[in-house]
């Protein structure tokens, strides 16, 4: 066999050519993603406006747009307004090139939905859950997702991913390390669902998903720094700082429900006492309601739930309104601590307790005003979720969509 000897300078030149080619391919991927993201967020938009917004020259933009049209992510529409010359051809993002499934896995409910690539809801299903054992609940989750599949419209890319929001600690492999209110420990949820459905699956804390939902589609669209406080059977927070979800060093930030408010308070599911969620969550409200209505005339009546208490409050029941006001004061106390730490522009109260805004609101505001630092409070607004129960499910779908596009950026030719 003939051996070819390469001189050192030949190897250097070959390496340089490979590096230049590799750099060019990487730059093209980055630019293509930049053009697509600009179309997604700004459409209808012209090629010239994309060039102006991205700093890319018009020839590069035109070539990349043509590739995006060929791959069904963009399309041309009518002519736009002229600034003096020929009217520009406007571009649209193809929101229905693919679809995502987002799920909010609550402690007593599951909300699953199909969205297009812009977050518009195509179909959703909410079910109550009672069995929390990991195997049984995972089977119900798979059955719910499977039931949505026939409702996914035909599209070039089909189901591009599944996002799940879970009330607990989730690692970067998509395993639920700890979810005290579900009784879960070390459940490899991402691998279970990826194997079942054969698509990319993203698992995250439900408060993080809710924060992204409100940031993308709800009350936080025009805000760079916000706290999303998810108040259900537990309490969690999604923290957005400078338009970016803050995850903390190990990725587990936001477990504010276990912020200690009383040294000798009620025992929490985490094993400590006096956690915020033992005073201000839906679970705490129901514990207090059972005690308050224990002497009711109808001793055989079912234990009150949130829907029952909301109905009683609407009817003017003083005990129900007192219970909600007490919950509001405890909520305000914890939120005041977070305002003092993070100095946010906006606090969004979401999940199930947002349904009681009419009866917790005044107590939240009064407590927040009295307990937070004046300079911090003067710039912070409080809102209730604009998306209702859908914040976490929409945010989970958004995570799946972002994963899809980021993966494409890495693999595009």
């Amino acid at each position: 066999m003939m051996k070819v000897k390469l001189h050192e300078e030949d190897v250097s030149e070959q390496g340089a050519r490979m590096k230049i080619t590799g750099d060019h391919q990487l730059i093209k991927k980055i630019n293509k993603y930049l053009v697509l993201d600009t179309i997604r967020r700004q459409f209808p938009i012209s090629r010239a406006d994309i060039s102006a917004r991205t700093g890319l020259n018009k020839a590069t933009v035109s070539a990349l747009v043509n590739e995006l049209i060929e791959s069904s992510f963009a399309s041309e529409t009518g002519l736009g307004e002229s600034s003096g010359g020929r009217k520009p051809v406007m571009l649209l993002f193809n929101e229905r090139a693919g679809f995502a499934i987002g799920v909010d896995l609550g402690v007593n409910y599951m909300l699953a939905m199909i969205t297009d690539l812009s977050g518009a809801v195509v179909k959703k299903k909410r079910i109550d859950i009672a069995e929390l054992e990991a195997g049984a609940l995972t089977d119900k989750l798979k059955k719910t997702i499977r039931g949505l599949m026939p409702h996914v419209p035909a599209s070039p890319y089909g189901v591009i991913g599944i996002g799940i929001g879970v009330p607990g600690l989730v690692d970067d492999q998509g395993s639920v390390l700890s979810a005290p209110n579900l009784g879960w420990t070390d459940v490899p949820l991402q691998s279970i669902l990826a194997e079942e459905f054969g698509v990319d699956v993203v698992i995250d804390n439900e408060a993080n998903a809710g924060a992204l939902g409100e940031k993308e589609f709800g009350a936080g669209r025009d805000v760079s720094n916000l706290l999303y406080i998810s108040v259900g059977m537990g309490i969690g927070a999604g923290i957005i700082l400078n338009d970016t979800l803050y995850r903390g060093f190990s990725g587990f930030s936001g477990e504010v429900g276990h912020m200690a408010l009383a040294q000798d308070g009620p025992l929490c599911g985490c094993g400590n006492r006096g956690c915020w969620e033992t005073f201000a969550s839906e679970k705490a409200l129901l514990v207090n309601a059972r005690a308050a209505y224990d002497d009711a005339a109808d001793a055989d009546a079912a234990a009150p739930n949130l829907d029952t208490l909301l109905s009683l409050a609407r009817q003017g029941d003083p005990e129900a309104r007192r219970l909600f006001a007490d919950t509001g004061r405890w909520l305000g106390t914890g939120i005041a601590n977070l305002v003092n730490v993070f100095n946010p522009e906006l606090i969004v109260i979401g999940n199930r307790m947002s349904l009681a805004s009419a009866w917790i609101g005044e107590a939240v505001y009064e407590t927040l005003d009295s307990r937070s630092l004046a300079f911090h409070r003067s710039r912070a607004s409080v809102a209730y979720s604009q998306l209702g129960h859908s914040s976490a499910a929409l945010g989970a779908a958004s995570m799946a969509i972002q994963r899809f596009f980021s993966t494409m950026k890495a693999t595009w030719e």
Side-chain angles (χ1 to χ4, degrees):
M1 180 182 294
M2 181 182 293
K3 294 185 179 179
V4 179
K5 182 178 181 181
L6 294 177
H7 295 289
E8 184 176 339
E9 58 268 25
D10 294 329
V11 176
S12 298
E13 289 176 8
Q14 185 183 48
R17 285 195 298 272
M18 291 174 64
K19 183 177 187 302
I20 290 169
T21 301
D23 287 348
H24 175 74
Q25 291 173 344
L26 175 60
I27 290 168
K28 181 181 178 181
K29 290 177 181 180
I30 293 170
N31 289 343
K32 191 173 179 180
Y33 180 81
L34 181 60
V35 170
L36 174 59
D37 195 55
T38 303
I39 296 172
R40 283 179 62 205
R41 299 185 182 280
Q42 304 294 333
F43 74 94
I45 188 171
S46 68
R47 290 169 173 82
D49 283 340
I50 295 172
S51 177
R53 290 176 182 274
T54 62
L56 300 173
N57 68 57
K58 292 181 180 180
T60 297
V61 168
S62 184
L64 295 175
V65 164
N66 289 341
E67 291 184 15
L68 292 172
I69 291 173
E70 289 175 5
S71 57
S72 301
F73 287 116
S75 62
E76 294 181 336
T77 183
L79 300 178
E81 294 297 323
S82 171
S83 58
R86 180 186 304 174
K87 289 186 176 181
V89 176
M90 305 302 287
L91 300 165
L92 297 177
F93 172 59
N94 184 6
E95 300 159 305
R96 298 175 78 85
F99 295 86
I101 291 178
V103 183
D104 174 14
L105 185 60
V107 175
N108 50 14
Y109 70 93
M110 185 188 305
L111 176 63
M113 60 178 59
I114 303 166
T115 78
D116 67 17
L117 298 181
S118 69
V121 178
V122 174
K123 176 80 174 178
K124 65 180 176 181
K125 182 176 183 180
R126 185 186 188 279
I127 61 173
D128 294 329
I129 54 178
E131 176 58 69
L132 301 182
E133 188 274 326
L137 187 49
T138 300
D139 285 343
K140 182 164 283 192
L141 175 59
K142 289 190 286 189
K143 181 179 179 181
T144 301
I145 294 171
R146 202 178 298 116
L148 285 177
M149 290 295 187
H151 300 281
V152 177
S155 66
Y157 295 93
V159 175
I160 55 85
I162 298 169
I164 314 286
V166 180
L169 297 178
V170 180
D171 69 13
D172 57 6
Q173 302 301 311
S175 290
V176 182
L177 301 181
S178 174
N181 288 318
L182 292 177
W184 285 16
T185 303
D186 294 326
V187 178
L189 191 59
Q190 191 276 339
S191 61
I192 292 170
L193 296 180
E195 181 179 355
E196 177 75 16
F197 296 105
V199 299
D200 204 1
V201 177
V202 183
I203 313 292
D204 208 330
N205 176 269
E206 61 86 20
N208 285 343
L212 289 176
E214 291 293 333
K215 173 62 178 168
E216 288 284 320
F217 313 115
R221 279 173 290 186
D222 300 320
V223 171
S224 295
N225 298 277
L226 71 90
L227 299 177
Y228 173 79
I229 312 297
S230 174
V231 190
M233 296 304 280
I235 299 178
I239 305 164
I240 301 231
L241 303 177
N242 297 323
D243 293 313
T244 302
L245 183 66
Y246 176 73
R247 295 185 176 278
F249 176 70
S250 300
F252 304 142
S253 68
E255 290 297 320
V256 297
H258 302 291
M259 173 171 56
L261 297 190
Q263 184 175 356
D264 298 317
L267 182 65
C268 180
C270 73
N272 290 325
R273 288 189 174 275
C275 294
W276 188 21
E277 65 182 48
T278 66
F279 296 104
S281 65
E282 180 181 345
K283 182 188 290 186
L285 172 70
L286 298 185
V287 168
N288 293 332
R290 281 192 289 272
Y293 290 101
D294 188 49
D295 297 327
D298 185 0
D300 295 327
N305 58 32
L306 181 61
D307 292 333
T308 302
L309 294 172
L310 289 169
S311 178
L312 288 170
R314 291 188 198 99
Q315 296 168 29
D317 182 80
E319 194 62 33
R321 293 191 173 189
R322 180 191 68 79
L323 288 165
F324 280 122
D326 287 348
T327 301
R329 278 186 282 276
W330 281 112
L331 268 179
T333 299
I335 292 172
N337 290 340
L338 298 175
V339 167
N340 291 343
V341 172
F342 290 103
N343 187 26
E345 296 171 69
L346 176 68
I347 302 102
V348 180
I349 299 173
N351 208 329
R352 297 259 294 163
M353 197 61 70
S354 66
L355 298 172
S357 59
W359 302 287
I360 66 174
E362 184 176 351
V364 169
Y365 295 135
E366 288 179 352
T367 307
L368 188 54
D369 287 344
S370 65
R371 288 183 173 270
S372 56
L373 295 171
F375 288 110
H376 295 61
R377 177 68 183 99
S378 65
R379 303 294 296 275
S381 300
V382 178
Y384 292 86
S385 170
Q386 289 185 357
L387 305 175
H389 287 165
S390 299
S391 298
L394 275 170
S398 176
M399 289 177 174
I401 293 166
Q402 291 297 329
R403 175 73 63 85
F404 171 66
F405 284 119
S406 65
T407 301
M408 293 198 88
K409 180 172 64 172
T411 58
W412 264 329
E413 296 296 335

